[in-house]
Amino acid sequence: MPKVSFSSIGRPLRIALGVFLLAVFAYTLLPGTITGGAQSGRINADLITLRAPIDGRVSFGQARVGERVTAGQSLATLTSPPDRDVRLADLEAQLKALNERLAGIDAQQQALAPILSRLETENRGFQTAVIASLDAQVAQAVARVRRSEAAIALAEAQLKRIQPLAASSFASTAELDQRQANAAMSRADLVAEQKALERLRKEREAAQQGIYLNDSYNNAPYSQQRRDDVELQRLTLATRRADAEAEIAQVQRQVDSERRRRMQVDGAVMQAPMAGILWRQLESEDATIGTSTPLLQIVDCRRLFFEVIVERRGEETPAIGTPVNISFTDNRQQYTRQAYLAAIRGEQDSDRGDIAISGMLQANQLRLIYALAAPPEGSNSQACPVGQTGYLSSAGPGIGAGISTGIGRGLAMLQAGIDSVMARFKQ
């Protein structure tokens, strides 16, 4: 192997070393001016979690963790488990029990119908008898009133005849008093008979409405109470029947839905929703899982971002929207992507599960998150360099931008120089 001298390393390496030392010197003297310049970091992306659309047994496809996947690529297959019929059988058994309960309610309602009819017949018969009896009593009372009115007329006529005789001493005073007493008693009897007639008429009107006022009607409260009890039972059964019909309709819909699901969904194929990287497999092969179980995580290559962890330096932080250039190397080839500062996170928001690469921050550290712009159409820039290390090649206006740019370029040139030296050593 020929000996390699320092002069043979070449002008690029010397320039890179000089720029690098100058940048380190500037960073030492001006720590507050550079806001993350020449900082290294990692390219990151959001994670999309794919969940099982049905319950079943999972079988993963040919793609392996870490490999690129395309939109629509088959990643996993779900097959229906053999015990899928259990839910349908349970629903059908529940439906059968509800129908049996409804049949029992109908039987009870049918048993109450003749009882209610008999009580109504008895009640109507009793009411007819009571009204007929009261009609007869009213007729008798009317006759007694007529008789009392005739007695009054006779007593008053007798009193009128004896009054002149008593005044002429042809009749005694005792006879006059007797005639006067007879007339008064006849008037009192008439008033009593009229009151009795009025009471009987009211009783008859009440009986026509099913209300019995006389205490001697002992059968009226019992028959009416029995009829009311049976009517209450009938209304209760009607309510229970309505509830049972509602439950039957609900369970029937579930049975129909389960039957359609059995006919239409015997399995499912899970496909990649976008181009990306298969990042994690969350279940084992041939595992039996339930609906909505997380199965796979895919890196969303449509939205990449670059994360830099820096030390807190007073109150000065980069402004949101600050433009930068992100440089990274792949297969000895350098790529540059434009980006802007999208967010700044502290220790309270450091460990996230919805990104590809996450980690904890210390109390004196900040995480600067730069959103990468999409590469120009037709360029050779990598589409999804998640996890690769990169460098900030610019970081905002002022002296910090110049030093930052110099550091970024110096690191890139240093890397190229080192590659050149290693190539010569291999020769």
Side-chain angles (χ1 to χ4, degrees), residues 13 31 48 67 75 79 81 104 122 133 143 182 210 219 225 250 276 300 398:
L13 180 58
I48 304 298
E67 294 181 352
L75 301 179
T79 56
E122 291 178 357
S133 174
N182 290 338
N219 194 38
Q225 183 179 2
Q250 180 180 3
D300 187 0

Side-chain angles (χ1 to χ4, degrees), residues 68 80 151 204 267 307 314 331 343 372 397:
R68 293 293 304 275
S80 302
R204 183 178 61 181
E307 293 186 339
N331 294 328
L372 271 68

